[in-house]
């Protein structure tokens, strides 16, 4: 077991999550929702760094997401999970409205995120595939 609580768990990721994201996660109504926020944010960050072709070497602290849930329903047993929404991207605290993000659960324990943005943001070696 990596930690005894969500707070201990999320504190291991202070170099990957913006302080506002961490604060939002910690303020969620329940520990289950804290983990939902964590995994949605993580899926969004992964989608972004894959889209620009740089991977997890990207300085993730420069990015943060504002989550807009269209649906969020999670029971304590994780037997009936429904999560869906969009997100706003901020890079160095400036909103990037030229990027689109959507997220959704695909089953009771997995969230996916997809994104689309301008090719100019992609790594030079990745731009030829845009």
């Amino acid at each position: 077991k990596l930690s005894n609580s969500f707070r201990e768990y999320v504190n291991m990721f202070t170099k990957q999550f913006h302080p506002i994201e961490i604060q939002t996660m910690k303020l969620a109504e329940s520990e289950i929702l804290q983990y939902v926020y964590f995994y949605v944010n993580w899926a969004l960050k992964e989608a972004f760094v894959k889209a620009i072709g740089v991977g997890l070497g990207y300085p993730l602290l420069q990015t943060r997401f504002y989550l807009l849930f269209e649906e969020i329903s999670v029971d304590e047993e994780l037997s009936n999970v429904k999560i869906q929404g969009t997100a706003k991207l901020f890079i160095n605290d400036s909103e990037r409205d030229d990027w689109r993000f959507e997220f959704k659960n695909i089953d009771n324990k997995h969230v996916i995120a997809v994104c689309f943005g301008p090719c100019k943001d992609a790594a030079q070696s990745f731009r030829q595939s845009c």
Side-chain angles (χ1 to χ4, degrees):
K1 187 173 178 178
L2 293 175
S3 64
N4 293 320
S5 70
F6 176 78
R7 288 180 187 275
E8 288 179 19
Y9 182 72
V10 78
N11 284 339
M12 293 186 290
F13 294 91
T14 57
K15 293 184 180 173
Q16 290 80 25
F17 287 105
H18 190 280
I20 292 173
E21 291 171 321
I22 290 176
Q23 180 182 12
T24 301
M25 291 177 212
K26 288 180 176 180
L27 292 175
E29 296 174 21
S30 68
E31 189 172 57
I32 293 285
L33 287 177
Q34 290 173 332
Y35 281 105
V36 166
Y37 279 54
F38 175 89
Y39 288 115
V40 168
N41 271 287
W42 188 256
L44 290 164
K45 286 180 185 273
E46 279 190 309
F48 176 68
V49 298
K50 288 176 183 177
I52 61 173
V54 296
L56 292 175
Y58 185 85
L60 294 175
L61 276 177
Q62 292 180 4
T63 64
R64 72 176 164 90
F65 290 94
Y66 180 77
L67 307 181
L68 301 158
F69 285 94
E70 295 166 11
E71 182 174 17
I72 183 166
S73 173
V74 182
D75 62 1
E76 290 295 320
E77 294 80 33
L78 296 177
S79 60
N80 190 24
V81 176
K82 291 184 178 137
I83 301 165
Q84 184 171 342
T86 61
K88 293 181 181 185
L89 170 66
F90 293 80
I91 298 178
N92 294 321
D93 291 322
S94 295
E95 184 175 353
R96 290 292 305 272
D97 60 3
D98 53 347
W99 279 88
R100 302 285 177 257
F101 291 85
E102 294 185 14
F103 58 87
K104 180 178 177 42
N105 69 298
I106 54 173
D107 61 28
N108 288 335
K109 295 186 179 178
H110 297 93
V111 174
I112 60 167
V114 294
C115 67
F116 181 78
C119 285
K120 67 177 178 62
D121 287 347
Q124 184 66 36
S125 60
F126 204 65
R127 286 184 196 160
Q128 61 196 11
S129 64
C130 289

